[in-house]
Amino acid sequence: MSLSCVLCGGPLGHARNETWLNEFRSIYTTGYDWHNPCLSGVGLVEGSEYHPQFNAPPWFEDRYDDQGFATENAIRILPSPVFEPIPGGAPPDVQPWGFFFHAACWELLRAETHPQKVDIRVLNDILRSCPRPEGTINWGHTYGGIYASQNGNWMNGTGIRLGHRLGYYRYPDNPNPEIVLHRQDPLNVTPIRDIIEQSKAQNFERLSISIRAPFSTDTRNFAILPLELRELILCFLPSPDVRSLMLASRAFASIQLSQTFWASRFDNDYDYIFEVRKDLPRGTPCNWKFLFENIKGAVHNLPAIRNRKRIWELLRSLTDAVVTLSQSPLKGLPARTFFDPEIARDSKEWNKAVKSRDSNLTRFSYGSVALYSRTVFVNQKVVGVYVSFFEMAGTTFVSGIRFICSDGQHIELGYIIGKTEVYLSVGTCALDDGISTFRGFKVTIGERGIQAIAVASHPNASSPLAGAHEGIPKRLLASYFQDIREVRAGFDGFKLVSLDIPSDTEPQSSLRETFCWLPDIPHHCWNLHGDCFVGCASIKRHPEWPLTYLHFGGHGGRHLGNLVSLSAWEVSGTLMGIEVQYGHPIDGATIRDVGYCGTYNERKSALISRKTKVKEEKTTFEIDGPGGERIVAVELCDVKSREQGTEPWFRITTNRDRAVYFPESMSPQHGHPKVIKPEGSKAITGFYSVESHFYSILPLKPP
């Protein structure tokens, strides 16, 4: 397998002329000693492109080309842990394995983390937390264009999957300008060092600039600030904002900018030129304006600096994570996981908000994995909860929970990051005489972890959600009968990936309380007819697959009189989606749908091959909703009478004895249908289905 640098995404090894692409470091662990990583010295990638060998000095101070370093002292590091002996390898329990990155990229990470040191344990946990497809880490970005991307989040489409690398990196003469740029050594910046030396010899004085402020009303505001304070404000702003402020305010436009201001540009615009910080400590005589203007020109002309800027931007969220998490240790009592097998197994029955996961430890290509499990006991009434968040590559996740008890006690669970906390008040329940009750949570579960939390005072009542929740599956995790006194949670290196509460003495088995839902958890008054749901076997095997509903009738059926048609979309005779149309817009739309309604080629086929196209067919059944026609019965079944419901069909009947099968080719001889017929004058107001990560619509039935 061809591997890439987990920091910059560029190729590791087999470069003819770019030595920096062949030199690597690794954060590695020995066998199953998961929690004690080491940083290797600088090694050289050997072997073939698709069977590379990563041999490196075991100590970070050493290099493979150091005089006196003996090759036999190098260790062979594998890209993943092994559980069976391999030819020529060490026994699995002592075989080093780890994550690989260019030695140059490691220096950039160190420079960006400065003045703090890189916490190897924290960094290793973060790396272990991310999926590893295509020979690198999937952070949720494309490494600045090195990888192709595709919508890959099988639940809500907000994540990405990495495609193949851009072009052929093994050919140094590849004319693709992106590849030419990404192969440039980010530390080979001799012209920058020359400019720094020249700036030391330049004469300098306090400089003024003339920018006409076309409109200004700040004579009684900014103008009354001391000159030093106004310049200090400018020092903290990026250069584009400085120019905008000077154009808008005469009080700032008239400032004579000092060398202090020009020096501040290397804390804002050009922080990635870390040689300035290293070679010119504050107080060093230097013409900072000369330095700024010349480096500004060099940045655009030097491909190596442009590649460095790309890598620096990629590392920004990672360095923030390493620094923040090194100061925010995981809170809670340790519980057993695969990675902590020495902890006693918990025999308690738990109600779990299940995360998505890839269970194959050697091929962790999507989802998330719990590296740690923590438990807290809440023995007092909970009156409020603080939720901590962490952002990685533009996606926000829940990282920790802090419970506030009636006696003033604070109980912490997970990574508590104070500056991100959001407060949620625990509500009261009428069944408990208005006393605040903590009965559980409502959570949104993304592909990589939990992204939002609400506090439930009853399964039918909860606080607003804190965190990202639009278009993400929701899961109700609450008790009908008791306040929650214990919470267990699973964490990876920086976020919450699972959440459990003790099971009720009388466990709830309704679909509403058992599975994830989109766009939200169904109203407790809806009749889901769970006993007729033909996909129970499938959804129980994959509880992370969300149930998605189309509630076209509206609350109390108020939209049924506006319904004019119901359509089914199919591909090769397989039902893929349902679409309804209204005569007049409802919330700005005349069409609502569930599943793949004319979007299969765009969303599904592209994941297989961009050239793969299938015929999408639509069958429409007109309904006279304005005239009082209603759907009053539904028959549904799997084509082959399978409990999984992988090839569903259904038949609707209206109160005018009109009926239609979807797909049209189906008929009663296919399977043994289940019939849903509301009592009295009630009508069908919606359908729901389960969507797998293969984007296939499974059974449909009405709430």
Side-chain angles (χ1 to χ4, degrees):
M1 178 176 62
S2 179
L3 298 181
S4 301
C5 171
V6 299
L7 300 181
C8 81
L12 279 166
H14 315 293
R16 301 174 188 173
N17 303 314
E18 302 96 335
T19 302
W20 80 279
L21 293 175
N22 298 326
E23 295 182 339
F24 77 95
R25 286 185 184 268
S26 174
I27 289 181
Y28 70 94
T29 54
T30 301
Y32 312 139
D33 189 12
W34 312 106
H35 306 310
N36 294 290
C38 301
L39 175 66
S40 77
V42 177
L44 190 71
V45 182
E46 300 174 317
S48 65
E49 179 180 3
Y50 291 101
H51 295 89
Q53 292 186 11
F54 295 89
N55 300 316
W59 303 107
F60 70 91
E61 301 97 336
D62 297 333
R63 289 181 54 92
Y64 69 96
D65 54 358
D66 282 344
Q67 186 175 5
F69 177 74
T71 306
E72 58 269 20
N73 291 333
I75 57 173
R76 180 187 178 190
I77 306 173
L78 300 182
S80 63
V82 294
F83 300 94
E84 298 290 341
I86 59 173
D93 58 340
V94 295
Q95 171 64 59
W97 69 276
F99 302 92
F100 305 104
F101 36 83
H102 298 123
C105 292
W106 169 255
E107 295 305 319
L108 293 182
L109 181 65
R110 287 182 59 203
E112 192 161 359
T113 309
H114 180 83
Q116 285 81 18
K117 293 184 178 181
V118 178
D119 189 317
I120 299 299
R121 184 196 61 78
V122 170
L123 178 57
N124 183 60
D125 278 352
I126 293 173
L127 292 171
R128 290 200 296 148
S129 303
C130 298
R132 301 187 284 277
E134 295 293 336
T136 191
I137 291 288
N138 185 349
W139 296 104
H141 56 62
T142 64
Y143 289 92
I146 282 187
Y147 280 82
S149 68
Q150 56 198 21
N151 284 339
N153 189 316
W154 47 265
M155 290 197 291
N156 55 59
T158 58
I160 67 166
R161 294 280 173 85
L162 296 182
H164 296 292
R165 273 182 292 177
L166 182 66
Y168 296 94
Y169 277 94
R170 60 180 176 270
Y171 300 135
D173 56 349
N174 191 311
N176 187 315
E178 291 293 322
I179 293 178
V180 172
L181 174 65
H182 297 155
R183 297 184 73 97
Q184 303 302 310
D185 183 354
L187 298 184
N188 184 13
V189 291
T190 301
I192 295 296
R193 297 188 183 279
D194 293 341
I195 293 172
I196 292 174
E197 290 302 315
Q198 294 171 22
S199 69
K200 296 178 182 179
Q202 293 288 321
N203 294 322
F204 59 90
E205 58 186 12
R206 193 174 186 90
L207 301 163
S208 63
I209 59 175
S210 177
I211 296 181
R212 179 174 176 268
F215 50 89
S216 177
T217 59
D218 61 2
T219 54
R220 292 178 297 173
N221 297 306
F222 290 133
I224 64 176
L225 296 176
L227 175 64
E228 294 79 7
L229 185 55
R230 277 180 276 158
E231 185 177 36
L232 183 61
I233 292 173
L234 295 180
C235 287
F236 283 100
L237 295 176
S239 293
D241 293 345
V242 169
R243 181 171 181 83
S244 297
L245 183 56
M246 286 184 160
L247 286 171
S249 168
R250 289 194 182 95
F252 282 96
S254 61
I255 293 177
Q256 292 183 329
L257 297 176
S258 70
Q259 294 295 328
T260 300
F261 168 78
W262 296 109
S264 72
R265 300 304 84 198
F266 296 95
D267 294 327
N268 287 283
D269 307 335
Y270 297 110
D271 56 343
Y272 56 93
I273 310 296
F274 59 85
E275 290 84 357
V276 172
R277 180 180 66 230
K278 182 178 179 181
D279 298 344
L280 294 173
R282 289 299 169 86
T284 302
C286 169
N287 189 331
W288 288 96
K289 184 173 187 291
F290 170 88
L291 183 63
F292 171 79
E293 291 179 340
N294 282 270
I295 284 184
K296 181 179 179 180
V299 163
H300 296 288
N301 297 324
L302 292 176
I305 288 296
R306 291 167 57 199
N307 193 31
R308 177 192 289 193
K309 183 179 180 181
R310 174 187 70 89
I311 300 171
W312 193 271
E313 292 298 325
L314 294 176
L315 294 178
R316 195 175 298 279
S317 62
L318 178 58
T319 54
D320 290 344
V322 171
V323 172
T324 299
L325 294 170
S326 64
Q327 302 167 356
S328 307
L330 190 62
K331 299 297 181 67
L333 298 173
R336 184 188 179 97
T337 69
F338 174 87
F339 303 100
D340 288 311
E342 71 282 357
I343 300 175
R345 194 180 299 276
D346 185 358
S347 59
K348 182 174 296 188
E349 293 292 328
W350 294 90
N351 185 9
K352 303 177 180 181
V354 180
K355 63 178 178 55
S356 59
R357 67 165 67 235
D358 185 332
S359 58
N360 190 335
L361 291 172
T362 59
R363 184 169 172 76
F364 175 26
S365 59
Y366 69 89
S368 57
V369 61
L371 303 180
Y372 304 98
S373 182
R374 292 292 185 268
T375 301
V376 293
F377 294 92
V378 185
N379 296 319
Q380 300 293 326
K381 281 284 184 182
V382 176
V383 296
V385 167
Y386 282 96
V387 183
S388 292
F389 295 92
F390 198 87
E391 182 178 317
M392 180 66 75
T395 302
T396 301
F397 300 95
V398 174
S399 66
I401 306 171
R402 182 158 59 97
F403 300 93
I404 310 301
C405 299
S406 57
D407 62 354
Q409 182 183 11
H410 290 208
I411 301 173
E412 297 178 330
L413 176 64
Y415 303 103
I416 306 302
I417 305 172
K419 63 182 180 181
T420 69
E421 285 186 312
V422 174
Y423 180 74
L424 298 175
S425 177
V426 174
T428 60
C429 179
L431 299 178
D432 291 311
D433 299 323
I435 300 174
S436 64
T437 57
F438 169 47
R439 293 291 175 84
F441 305 94
K442 175 182 176 181
V443 298
T444 66
I445 306 176
E447 180 178 336
R448 297 190 178 190
I450 294 176
Q451 295 186 246
I453 282 183
V455 181
S457 55
H458 187 269
N460 300 331
S462 64
S463 70
L465 281 162
H469 56 87
E470 291 294 333
I472 305 176
K474 280 82 175 171
R475 169 77 159 86
L476 185 61
L477 190 69
S479 168
Y480 277 90
F481 308 109
Q482 58 189 359
D483 271 11
I484 303 302
R485 292 288 180 253
E486 186 177 359
V487 178
R488 186 177 69 179
F491 298 89
D492 61 17
F494 60 94
K495 63 182 181 292
L496 176 66
V497 297
S498 67
L499 192 61
D500 310 335
I501 62 173
S503 295
D504 276 336
T505 53
E506 299 179 20
Q508 298 298 305
S509 58
S510 73
L511 296 176
R512 180 176 180 268
E513 286 89 17
T514 308
F515 301 113
C516 298
W517 287 88
L518 277 173
D520 207 339
I521 297 169
H523 194 277
H524 64 91
C525 292
W526 296 358
N527 185 351
L528 299 177
H529 300 282
D531 56 330
C532 295
F533 184 47
V534 296
C536 278
S538 179
I539 196 69
K540 285 180 179 178
R541 285 197 303 272
H542 300 281
E544 70 274 14
W545 294 355
L547 289 160
T548 306
Y549 62 78
L550 171 62
H551 191 227
F552 57 81
H555 183 69
R558 66 178 183 270
H559 299 323
L560 293 177
N562 195 20
L563 188 66
V564 296
S565 70
L566 185 147
S567 304
W569 287 82
E570 59 183 275
V571 171
S572 301
T574 299
L575 187 64
M576 301 304 296
I578 296 178
E579 174 183 295
V580 298
Q581 184 172 359
Y582 299 109
H584 302 286
I586 295 177
D587 296 330
T590 58
I591 293 178
R592 292 183 181 177
D593 58 40
V594 61
Y596 291 92
C597 296
T599 59
Y600 183 87
N601 281 316
E602 175 186 349
R603 294 168 56 193
K604 167 65 175 176
S605 295
L607 300 181
I608 303 172
S609 169
R610 294 184 179 182
K611 298 180 180 180
T612 301
K613 299 294 180 183
V614 296
K615 184 178 181 181
E616 300 179 83
E617 296 181 290
K618 178 181 179 181
T619 302
T620 298
F621 179 70
E622 294 184 354
I623 298 175
D624 182 18
E629 188 173 21
R630 303 288 186 264
I631 301 173
V632 295
V634 174
E635 297 176 48
L636 66 161
C637 187
D638 184 273
V639 172
K640 299 179 181 179
S641 297
R642 294 178 297 195
E643 291 185 354
Q644 289 89 341
T646 50
E647 294 184 47
W649 66 264
F650 71 105
R651 177 179 186 261
I652 63 171
T653 303
T654 74
N655 56 355
R656 296 181 181 177
D657 291 327
R658 299 172 62 237
V660 63
Y661 282 96
F662 297 109
E664 283 187 308
S665 59
M666 295 298 102
S667 62
Q669 65 263 27
H670 290 92
H672 302 284
K674 297 183 179 181
V675 180
I676 299 171
K677 190 172 184 179
E679 298 178 356
S681 60
K682 293 182 179 179
I684 301 298
T685 60
F687 296 90
Y688 63 86
S689 67
V690 59
E691 186 174 337
S692 79
H693 69 289
F694 297 108
Y695 294 97
S696 299
I697 290 296
L698 296 179
L700 302 114
K701 61 178 299 299

